[in-house]
Amino acid sequence: MTMFGGKNPEVLVVGAGPVGLFAALSLARLGVRVEIVDRQWRTRAHSYALALHGQSLQMLGELGLAESIVERAYRVNSVGLYDASDRRAEMRISELGGPFPFVAVMPPDQLERVLERALEQCGVKVRWNHEVARLVTRTNRGVSATIHRLQKQSTGYAIAHTEWVVADTAQLEVVAEVHNPPQRSLPEQVLSLLAEGVVLTRAKLRDALAVKNERLGEALESLERAGRLRRTQGGWQRLD
């Protein structure tokens, strides 16, 4: 059976972070049939500072999103350089000119929500819990990818079914086959959630995986002993 509502996308974007969402939205606004997948269950749960410079804001402005983003951001007009407590120099961003003479600082999840809502208005929804397992370039058939759709269960995340994406002459044909492959181990699921520098507390991991605290503790300790995780003030972080 076909995926994506029976319509073959021309572009498959992998990763629904700010860059992936922006790319998908730009393509959709140009009339390109695009789909976007991400192995996470939603926008990023962790928070860190995201700084948008004038050129980035201009690009977002071309999509009609700059005003909405600036309203949510903290404006930085100058940056001071210090040596201990002594202020040595100052960079005045406000003197650079242009339509956005400042740096807009905001949590990345807020930017992602703005981009995701704009993408939905174009009729494109992010397919969360979808993981690209393999990508193969074929000489005569273009590119094919194996995509796992993860399904949250009482024991964690399991592969609900696998889709094969085949790109032929600038089109992606997606075929899905439902089956019941073996479930990934709990340590593997933990590592998947902590990919790409994500830092999550034990409580957030427990809620995301829907497992008992004792089982999660055993998995975290085994991964820590193996040198694959470490504890930080903000939570657990993957090392490989």
Side-chain angles (χ1 to χ4, degrees):
M1 61 180 176
T2 58
M3 188 187 173
F4 303 143
K7 295 182 179 180
N8 296 331
E10 297 172 278
V11 176
L12 176 66
V13 177
V14 181
V19 175
L21 289 166
F22 179 85
L25 179 59
S26 299
L27 290 167
R29 291 281 182 87
L30 292 172
V32 177
R33 295 191 305 277
V34 61
E35 292 290 345
I36 178 169
V37 300
D38 195 293
R39 62 185 171 186
Q40 302 297 332
W41 69 96
R42 59 185 175 87
T43 53
R44 303 185 186 280
H46 66 289
S47 180
Y48 53 86
L50 173 71
L52 297 171
H53 293 260
Q55 188 172 6
S56 298
L57 291 170
Q58 288 185 53
M59 294 172 66
L60 291 164
E62 293 174 359
L63 298 177
L65 301 177
E67 182 177 350
S68 176
I69 290 170
V70 170
E71 288 177 353
R72 293 169 169 78
Y74 175 79
R75 298 190 184 194
V76 176
N77 298 309
S78 63
V79 177
L81 303 179
Y82 287 81
D83 179 7
S85 60
D86 297 330
R87 189 182 182 94
R88 297 295 188 181
E90 180 182 11
M91 295 185 295
R92 296 180 180 177
I93 304 173
S94 58
E95 296 180 356
L96 295 177
F100 302 101
F102 54 85
V103 172
V105 179
M106 64 191 304
D109 60 314
Q110 291 188 22
L111 173 60
E112 291 169 356
R113 290 192 186 100
V114 171
L115 290 168
E116 186 177 5
R117 282 196 293 268
L119 195 56
E120 289 177 350
Q121 292 174 358
C122 294
V124 180
K125 287 190 175 182
V126 177
R127 295 184 180 273
W128 300 106
N129 301 332
H130 282 67
E131 181 181 61
V132 176
R134 185 176 61 177
L135 186 65
V136 179
T137 301
R138 302 180 184 276
T139 304
N140 299 324
R141 298 183 58 195
V143 178
S144 67
T146 302
I147 302 176
H148 291 162
R149 179 168 63 84
L150 306 179
Q151 179 173 306
K152 192 172 183 180
Q153 299 180 347
S154 59
T155 55
Y157 281 90
I159 298 173
H161 71 262
T162 301
E163 293 118 15
W164 287 270
V165 185
V166 182
D168 291 317
T169 61
Q171 286 192 342
L172 290 177
E173 179 182 354
V174 186
V175 181
E177 178 179 305
V178 178
H179 68 302
N180 295 307
Q183 180 179 317
R184 293 187 301 173
S185 67
L186 183 56
E188 289 175 331
Q189 295 174 52
V190 170
L191 291 173
S192 178
L193 289 176
L194 295 176
E196 300 177 359
V198 173
V199 177
L200 294 176
T201 64
R202 181 167 175 163
K204 288 184 177 179
L205 285 169
R206 184 187 63 235
D207 293 342
L209 296 169
V211 295
K212 292 184 178 180
N213 199 47
E214 182 178 349
R215 281 196 63 213
L216 178 60
E218 293 173 354
L220 292 173
E221 289 175 5
S222 67
L223 290 169
E224 186 178 27
R225 287 195 301 269
R228 305 195 68 183
L229 292 184
R230 69 175 177 183
R231 307 184 200 200
T232 69
Q233 290 184 345
W236 288 89
Q237 183 179 37
R238 183 171 173 172
L239 295 177
D240 56 5

